[in-house]
Each structure stands twice: as C-alpha cells, then as structure tokens.
Amino acid sequence: MFERFFTPYQAGSAVVGERIAILAPHPDDEIFGCGASASKWQTQGKQVKSFVLTAGVVRNEFSDQSDADQKRLAKALLRANESKAAAKVLGLPEPEFLNAQDGELWDNAMIASELVERLQAWQPTTIVAPSIWEMHRDHRATAEMAIRLAQTLSSVKCLCFYEIGVPLIANVIEDVTAFKSLKWQAMQCFPSQLASQHYAEQINGLNIYRTYTLGLDTHYAEAFYSVDVAELAPLLQEYAPTQTTLALKNAEQHAYLLQQRLAEQQARVQQLGVELQQLYSSRSWRITSPIRKLSSWLRRLSVQKK
C-alpha cells in the first residue's frame, strides 16, 4: 500500500540517546504536545527535561488595572504551577522556566542565548520541539530555535518535532496507550487554559486519531517528525521554514497596517457623522431650511416640464 510512504504503519521511537530536552513555547505545550511520550521515555530510563520559554503572560496584559504588575506575576506563577503539577502527574521532573513574554519569541536573542547556555550545560542527545508546520508565532520561533540548537550543540544527534495546533507530517508514531489516562489527568492541570478552549478534548481526539494506522491494540498515540541532525539540511531545503516564517511576518505586518487604516477611516466616518449632526442642529441650517425646500421644489418642477 502506497500509504506507507506517507504515514507509519508501525509504532516506533521518536528520540535518540538518553537525554531528551523538550522545548515548550508556553506552560502547557510540553504536556499537550508530547506529555505521554515524555512519560514513556522517562519510564524507559531516559533523562527527560522540559524547558518552558515563556511565562504565558502577554507584556501589556492587565494594563488597564492599577495592580497590573502584581496580576501579571500572579498569572505567571499560576501557569508555572500548572506545568509543575502536570509534570508530577506524568512522573517527570519539574520544567525549567525562562520566563519570556508571551508572543515575543521571534528574534529574541536573550532567550536564544540563555537556552544555548542551559542546553550546553545539560548536553541533550535529542531536542524535542514544536514542528515547523505550526502557525502560532511562538511555536514557530521555538521550532527555529531548536533547529539552530541542533546545528550548534555537538551532543545533539536528533531533532524531533511534535504537533500542537497543526497536525504534522509524521514519520514516527509513539504508542502511548499505557499513558492515556495519565496524560488526560495531566491535561486537567491547566484550568486557566481549559477555561478558554477545549484543549484537552481536542488533543485527546488528535491522539486517538493517530492510532489510525497502528491496529486494534493501539488506542492512543503521539505523532512526531524525527530527523537525524546529519540529515537536517535536506529537510530545511525542502520545507524552508524560515521563508514561511518571513512570509507570515510580512502578512502579519500588512494586516496590521490594513487594520490601522480601517481604524482611521472608521474614526473619520464617525467624526463626519458628528459634524453632520452639528450642522443639522445649527441655527443657520434652520434659518435656510425654507430656501432648501423651495430649491428642491423648483428642481422637481423643472424635471416635470422636460
């Protein structure tokens, strides 16, 4: 069957070596994206560590409130505690938090430098990160950081992409049936996120779907695109993630400019409406009203004669 060229029909292992570094753009991505596999790798005797890049807080969040700084700190603490609780459920070490601003990972030299320093010290053999097919700006930025790290750190032998918001082109599917209930429990540790979207149900559905080609004994699976660092160059040439990112940046900037122009035009229309109402209520408009009526009557009379 030619389908086998496009998706695995047997479960496999997505990682290489004994030290697995998971990069998460936000506190929860490491669980939703590959939490069950991370728990599986840990039980296999591998060392697994997650690095969460942002605090999950937008820079100007709560800016309309007097205690904005305290609320941002409280939200960052809440989200970190949610990730810690989920890791505990899965039997994983607590993540390390780099605390960047949510939405600001693109071209973030400070976070990139800190990540290099931490991973150089930890010496991972595999880096696991969001895939190059993700559309979220922080997910894509993290994927590109992972690519640079894989090309830079001599300890890294494998780069492994996981899926969150966009299903990826899978070349490895991990059978994590034994960890299904644990992952579900871990996903419930994020009430702050589940209050705004049905993430747990959606990811659960994705993981069930990923069993499609694995037979009746597999009930839960996580999909990855895993590539040996030595074979990374052809992948980047084929899919050109940086070019896609540049196109997305340009589209975002263009959309922002269009939104600005639209807002300016709407404000102008509103101002003209105010000026028109002021004209209608002015004394000169009331005084000249008979003249306008006469003029209108004369025009209609002229048209009837023709």
Side-chain angles (χ1 to χ4, degrees):
M1 295 183 292
F2 62 80
E3 294 98 326
R4 296 178 184 274
F5 291 103
F6 300 98
T7 189
Y9 269 65
Q10 290 183 331
S13 179
V15 296
V16 170
E18 301 301 314
R19 300 173 72 82
I20 315 303
I22 300 173
L23 306 188
H26 312 101
D28 65 16
D29 292 324
E30 77 283 12
I31 304 299
F32 292 149
C34 58
S37 294
S39 186
K40 176 183 176 181
W41 300 328
Q42 183 82 11
T43 61
Q44 290 173 339
K46 303 181 189 298
Q47 297 183 58
V48 180
K49 182 178 285 191
S50 296
F51 298 84
V52 181
L53 306 192
T54 78
V57 182
V58 178
R59 181 176 297 277
N60 295 320
E61 200 164 355
F62 309 114
S63 60
D64 59 338
Q65 303 177 31
S66 59
D67 56 349
D69 289 341
Q70 291 85 347
K71 286 193 172 180
R72 282 193 286 269
L73 287 172
K75 183 175 179 180
L77 179 60
L78 170 65
R79 299 210 55 186
N81 285 338
E82 288 175 341
S83 270
K84 291 176 184 178
K88 186 175 181 179
V89 168
L90 291 171
L92 299 170
E94 286 190 357
E96 292 191 15
F97 299 94
L98 280 71
N99 295 311
Q101 298 292 322
D102 195 328
E104 297 185 17
L105 289 183
W106 265 343
D107 305 319
N108 192 322
M110 184 178 299
I111 290 297
S113 176
E114 184 175 353
L115 196 52
V116 168
E117 185 176 332
R118 293 197 191 197
L119 291 188
Q120 279 180 333
W122 200 65
Q123 293 289 294
T125 53
T126 296
I127 293 177
V128 185
S131 86
I132 55 175
W133 294 280
E134 292 282 327
M135 289 293 109
H136 189 291
R137 58 188 298 125
D138 284 339
H139 294 190
R140 292 194 65 82
T142 305
E144 293 186 20
M145 285 188 201
I147 290 168
R148 290 191 293 272
L149 287 164
Q151 294 171 323
T152 302
L153 301 177
S154 59
S155 67
V156 178
K157 307 304 178 187
C158 174
L159 179 57
C160 180
F161 295 118
Y162 62 86
E163 57 189 0
I164 312 168
V166 178
L168 51 67
I169 300 171
N171 65 358
V172 179
I173 298 178
E174 290 267 5
D175 180 357
V176 289
T177 301
F179 300 86
K180 179 179 180 179
S181 61
L182 279 181
K183 181 171 181 178
W184 178 258
Q185 293 174 43
M187 290 193 291
Q188 304 311 307
C189 293
F190 298 94
S192 70
Q193 303 310 294
L194 300 181
S196 61
Q197 183 60 275
H198 300 295
Y199 293 120
E201 287 85 351
Q202 292 157 357
I203 294 296
N204 197 55
L206 177 64
N207 294 157
I208 292 172
Y209 167 74
R210 284 302 187 180
T211 68
Y212 184 79
T213 58
L214 299 185
L216 296 177
D217 293 332
T218 304
H219 303 285
Y220 210 64
E222 290 176 339
F224 300 89
Y225 190 95
S226 184
V227 59
D228 189 288
V229 170
E231 300 174 356
L232 188 55
L235 174 74
L236 300 180
Q237 184 176 5
E238 181 176 0
Y239 292 108
T242 56
Q243 292 182 24
T244 302
T245 298
L246 180 60
L248 289 170
K249 285 182 179 180
N250 290 338
E252 184 179 57
Q253 180 64 22
H254 185 62
Y256 174 73
L257 292 174
L258 289 177
Q259 288 171 349
Q260 276 190 317
R261 291 174 188 171
L262 178 60
E264 291 168 359
Q265 293 299 319
Q266 289 173 334
R268 179 60 178 155
V269 169
Q270 186 175 10
Q271 179 60 32
L272 288 173
V274 171
E275 293 175 0
L276 185 61
Q277 290 302 318
Q278 290 174 343
L279 175 63
Y280 287 159
S281 60
S282 67
R283 178 181 296 178
S284 60
W285 184 262
R286 292 195 301 272
I287 291 173
T288 59
S289 178
I291 297 174
R292 291 195 304 277
K293 290 179 180 178
L294 177 61
S295 176
S296 176
W297 180 78
L298 290 173
R299 283 197 300 272
R300 290 198 301 271
L301 183 62
S302 175
V303 170
Q304 290 173 358
K305 288 181 177 180
K306 292 179 179 180

